[in-house]
Amino acid sequence: MANELSRQWLRRRLGVFDIYALVHSDIQSTYYFLVGFIALAAGQWGFVGALYGVLLMAAIALTYGEMGSRFPETGGSYLYVKYAFGSKIAFLSAWILAFDQIIMVAYGTIDASKILAKLFPALGAWEVIVAIALSTALFLLTTLGIRESANLAKFVAILDMVIIPSLILLSLFYYPATPPFFNWSNVEGVSLLFAFSLLSRGFTGIDAIGQLAGEAKEPLVQVPRATLLVVAMGTFYGIGLMAAVMSALTPEEIGDPAVAPLYLAEKIHPLFLYLVAFDIFTVMMVAALAGYISFSRMTYILADEKLLPAFFHRLHKKFRTPYISLAITYVVSLLLISAGGVEIILAIYAIGSLINYIMIAIALAKASRSGTLHSAFKTPLIAGIPLSAWIALVLLPVGLGLTLIEKYPYLWVWILWIAAGALFYYIKRHA
């Protein structure tokens, strides 16, 4: 009962579009950041890869939609994994997912810095400093009490849903080409394995659907509808943006793959560049802000469950914000920004999410087979297991395996993070 009462700080006030808007920046920011890297790595197979990425995205979203209908309360991924594997495994799953939330802060502020450098070339030599300044500003804002705002998220989502589709359609109109290779039929990719690794991680942030189920006004109705909206829009953005890149741009025109959409906008019209840049800058900043808040929320819940030391649960006396969790997010984000920038982020981002998504798919399969899944939203059953879980369980291990094969030299970062979590868990259990 105490745990239930402590979580009433999250009120049920979100509608369908509120939920979608809060998820939108998370998933689209990842894809905007990665689409250039994916195109260059996959070459002529970029569009085919995008189809794979969209299928995986849809399976993950539907899996979370089904579990969100089954567990319409705050806790999201942690609750689902706890149901299937118990609290210890759930803690590990939540802890590694939380690291992705910090990485989100790093890539969001780095990409926002690169956007500013594209508009103002004099800032090019100061990208790291600008990214650090942006992360600092977000840390101060969240410490003072800035939380997720559905209104802000809706504004950014609506803006993005007007500008980026316009970018896609104008690119395809002015530079028509035939799929699946478009104008890249003779382009050899740098590494097809790496491309599919990135595509497996290209829509990270979908797990927010489950987390937000605890704040929906009518979760059994709104979570399924928001899930279908995520799938529909994610499919359009994923396929459309890759098609636009491969129609309008050549590999040589993508100077910095981290801001590939800006090269599309610049090719259509120089003034359009500023509009697209403003849009993606806001998306990146909202995603980074969400990273700060998501990590502090996740660790708050874990501390509330007595799995992390009490200081993660501690609130600032004046601002009533989890300032220690926010400070940890800030420090680690600065280390990621300064130490390796884009290279290390490409290597380590979303490994935790992929592991977490596999566990959620297993949890969904278990709940369905046991007859305890009584949700308002279901995909067709095959041998008693939802189709969404089957697709996720087939594709997710492939994506995780490709990532580990391609970027195993960077796994020491994850080992350090897991070791830190194990230490915190041990301290709490033996206090």
PDB file of all heavy atoms in Angstrom, residues 165-177:
ATOM      1  N   PRO A 165       7.107  15.395 -42.600  1.00  0.00           N
ATOM      2  CA  PRO A 165       6.379  14.853 -43.756  1.00  0.00           C
ATOM      3  C   PRO A 165       6.485  15.750 -44.990  1.00  0.00           C
ATOM      4  O   PRO A 165       6.581  15.242 -46.109  1.00  0.00           O
ATOM      5  CB  PRO A 165       4.935  14.756 -43.245  1.00  0.00           C
ATOM      6  CG  PRO A 165       5.093  14.527 -41.783  1.00  0.00           C
ATOM      7  CD  PRO A 165       6.259  15.391 -41.392  1.00  0.00           C
ATOM      8  N   SER A 166       6.477  17.078 -44.771  1.00  0.00           N
ATOM      9  CA  SER A 166       6.661  17.997 -45.900  1.00  0.00           C
ATOM     10  C   SER A 166       8.039  17.794 -46.518  1.00  0.00           C
ATOM     11  O   SER A 166       8.182  17.795 -47.761  1.00  0.00           O
ATOM     12  CB  SER A 166       6.508  19.447 -45.431  1.00  0.00           C
ATOM     13  OG  SER A 166       5.218  19.686 -44.922  1.00  0.00           O
ATOM     14  N   LEU A 167       9.051  17.629 -45.679  1.00  0.00           N
ATOM     15  CA  LEU A 167      10.409  17.377 -46.161  1.00  0.00           C
ATOM     16  C   LEU A 167      10.462  16.094 -46.987  1.00  0.00           C
ATOM     17  O   LEU A 167      11.068  16.054 -48.068  1.00  0.00           O
ATOM     18  CB  LEU A 167      11.362  17.284 -44.970  1.00  0.00           C
ATOM     19  CG  LEU A 167      12.815  16.883 -45.266  1.00  0.00           C
ATOM     20  CD1 LEU A 167      13.500  17.953 -46.094  1.00  0.00           C
ATOM     21  CD2 LEU A 167      13.578  16.642 -43.967  1.00  0.00           C
ATOM     22  N   ILE A 168       9.822  15.051 -46.480  1.00  0.00           N
ATOM     23  CA  ILE A 168       9.817  13.759 -47.182  1.00  0.00           C
ATOM     24  C   ILE A 168       9.117  13.880 -48.532  1.00  0.00           C
ATOM     25  O   ILE A 168       9.646  13.469 -49.576  1.00  0.00           O
ATOM     26  CB  ILE A 168       9.136  12.683 -46.315  1.00  0.00           C
ATOM     27  CG1 ILE A 168       9.992  12.377 -45.079  1.00  0.00           C
ATOM     28  CG2 ILE A 168       8.886  11.411 -47.125  1.00  0.00           C
ATOM     29  CD1 ILE A 168       9.297  11.503 -44.058  1.00  0.00           C
ATOM     30  N   LEU A 169       7.919  14.471 -48.540  1.00  0.00           N
ATOM     31  CA  LEU A 169       7.126  14.551 -49.766  1.00  0.00           C
ATOM     32  C   LEU A 169       7.778  15.464 -50.800  1.00  0.00           C
ATOM     33  O   LEU A 169       7.776  15.151 -52.005  1.00  0.00           O
ATOM     34  CB  LEU A 169       5.714  15.038 -49.434  1.00  0.00           C
ATOM     35  CG  LEU A 169       4.882  14.080 -48.561  1.00  0.00           C
ATOM     36  CD1 LEU A 169       3.548  14.706 -48.199  1.00  0.00           C
ATOM     37  CD2 LEU A 169       4.675  12.748 -49.264  1.00  0.00           C
ATOM     38  N   LEU A 170       8.347  16.585 -50.361  1.00  0.00           N
ATOM     39  CA  LEU A 170       9.020  17.485 -51.298  1.00  0.00           C
ATOM     40  C   LEU A 170      10.258  16.825 -51.903  1.00  0.00           C
ATOM     41  O   LEU A 170      10.547  16.985 -53.096  1.00  0.00           O
ATOM     42  CB  LEU A 170       9.405  18.783 -50.593  1.00  0.00           C
ATOM     43  CG  LEU A 170       8.257  19.747 -50.285  1.00  0.00           C
ATOM     44  CD1 LEU A 170       8.742  20.894 -49.403  1.00  0.00           C
ATOM     45  CD2 LEU A 170       7.637  20.288 -51.568  1.00  0.00           C
ATOM     46  N   SER A 171      10.993  16.078 -51.087  1.00  0.00           N
ATOM     47  CA  SER A 171      12.182  15.381 -51.580  1.00  0.00           C
ATOM     48  C   SER A 171      11.806  14.365 -52.647  1.00  0.00           C
ATOM     49  O   SER A 171      12.463  14.259 -53.695  1.00  0.00           O
ATOM     50  CB  SER A 171      12.905  14.681 -50.419  1.00  0.00           C
ATOM     51  OG  SER A 171      13.349  15.610 -49.456  1.00  0.00           O
ATOM     52  N   LEU A 172      10.738  13.599 -52.384  1.00  0.00           N
ATOM     53  CA  LEU A 172      10.314  12.586 -53.344  1.00  0.00           C
ATOM     54  C   LEU A 172       9.692  13.219 -54.592  1.00  0.00           C
ATOM     55  O   LEU A 172       9.771  12.641 -55.684  1.00  0.00           O
ATOM     56  CB  LEU A 172       9.310  11.641 -52.683  1.00  0.00           C
ATOM     57  CG  LEU A 172       9.859  10.799 -51.514  1.00  0.00           C
ATOM     58  CD1 LEU A 172       8.742   9.985 -50.872  1.00  0.00           C
ATOM     59  CD2 LEU A 172      10.980   9.883 -51.980  1.00  0.00           C
ATOM     60  N   PHE A 173       9.096  14.403 -54.434  1.00  0.00           N
ATOM     61  CA  PHE A 173       8.486  15.093 -55.581  1.00  0.00           C
ATOM     62  C   PHE A 173       9.552  15.678 -56.506  1.00  0.00           C
ATOM     63  O   PHE A 173       9.493  15.516 -57.738  1.00  0.00           O
ATOM     64  CB  PHE A 173       7.555  16.208 -55.089  1.00  0.00           C
ATOM     65  CG  PHE A 173       6.960  17.031 -56.191  1.00  0.00           C
ATOM     66  CD1 PHE A 173       5.902  16.543 -56.943  1.00  0.00           C
ATOM     67  CD2 PHE A 173       7.459  18.302 -56.481  1.00  0.00           C
ATOM     68  CE1 PHE A 173       5.346  17.306 -57.974  1.00  0.00           C
ATOM     69  CE2 PHE A 173       6.911  19.063 -57.510  1.00  0.00           C
ATOM     70  CZ  PHE A 173       5.850  18.568 -58.249  1.00  0.00           C
ATOM     71  N   TYR A 174      10.531  16.357 -55.930  1.00  0.00           N
ATOM     72  CA  TYR A 174      11.566  17.011 -56.736  1.00  0.00           C
ATOM     73  C   TYR A 174      12.630  16.036 -57.241  1.00  0.00           C
ATOM     74  O   TYR A 174      13.282  16.293 -58.255  1.00  0.00           O
ATOM     75  CB  TYR A 174      12.232  18.127 -55.937  1.00  0.00           C
ATOM     76  CG  TYR A 174      11.386  19.366 -55.795  1.00  0.00           C
ATOM     77  CD1 TYR A 174      10.938  19.790 -54.544  1.00  0.00           C
ATOM     78  CD2 TYR A 174      11.021  20.117 -56.911  1.00  0.00           C
ATOM     79  CE1 TYR A 174      10.160  20.924 -54.402  1.00  0.00           C
ATOM     80  CE2 TYR A 174      10.231  21.256 -56.785  1.00  0.00           C
ATOM     81  CZ  TYR A 174       9.801  21.655 -55.523  1.00  0.00           C
ATOM     82  OH  TYR A 174       9.027  22.786 -55.404  1.00  0.00           O
ATOM     83  N   TYR A 175      12.827  14.945 -56.525  1.00  0.00           N
ATOM     84  CA  TYR A 175      13.854  13.982 -56.903  1.00  0.00           C
ATOM     85  C   TYR A 175      13.270  12.567 -56.926  1.00  0.00           C
ATOM     86  O   TYR A 175      13.640  11.703 -56.133  1.00  0.00           O
ATOM     87  CB  TYR A 175      15.033  14.051 -55.923  1.00  0.00           C
ATOM     88  CG  TYR A 175      15.638  15.432 -55.824  1.00  0.00           C
ATOM     89  CD1 TYR A 175      15.233  16.309 -54.818  1.00  0.00           C
ATOM     90  CD2 TYR A 175      16.590  15.861 -56.741  1.00  0.00           C
ATOM     91  CE1 TYR A 175      15.766  17.586 -54.740  1.00  0.00           C
ATOM     92  CE2 TYR A 175      17.140  17.132 -56.656  1.00  0.00           C
ATOM     93  CZ  TYR A 175      16.720  17.992 -55.660  1.00  0.00           C
ATOM     94  OH  TYR A 175      17.258  19.263 -55.581  1.00  0.00           O
ATOM     95  N   PRO A 176      12.343  12.322 -57.837  1.00  0.00           N
ATOM     96  CA  PRO A 176      11.694  10.995 -57.877  1.00  0.00           C
ATOM     97  C   PRO A 176      12.674   9.906 -58.287  1.00  0.00           C
ATOM     98  O   PRO A 176      13.577  10.120 -59.097  1.00  0.00           O
ATOM     99  CB  PRO A 176      10.594  11.181 -58.931  1.00  0.00           C
ATOM    100  CG  PRO A 176      11.099  12.284 -59.812  1.00  0.00           C
ATOM    101  CD  PRO A 176      11.864  13.205 -58.909  1.00  0.00           C
ATOM    102  N   ALA A 177      12.503   8.747 -57.701  1.00  0.00           N
ATOM    103  CA  ALA A 177      13.331   7.588 -58.031  1.00  0.00           C
ATOM    104  C   ALA A 177      12.538   6.333 -57.702  1.00  0.00           C
ATOM    105  O   ALA A 177      11.539   6.379 -56.977  1.00  0.00           O
ATOM    106  CB  ALA A 177      14.650   7.621 -57.259  1.00  0.00           C
TER     107      ALA A 177
END
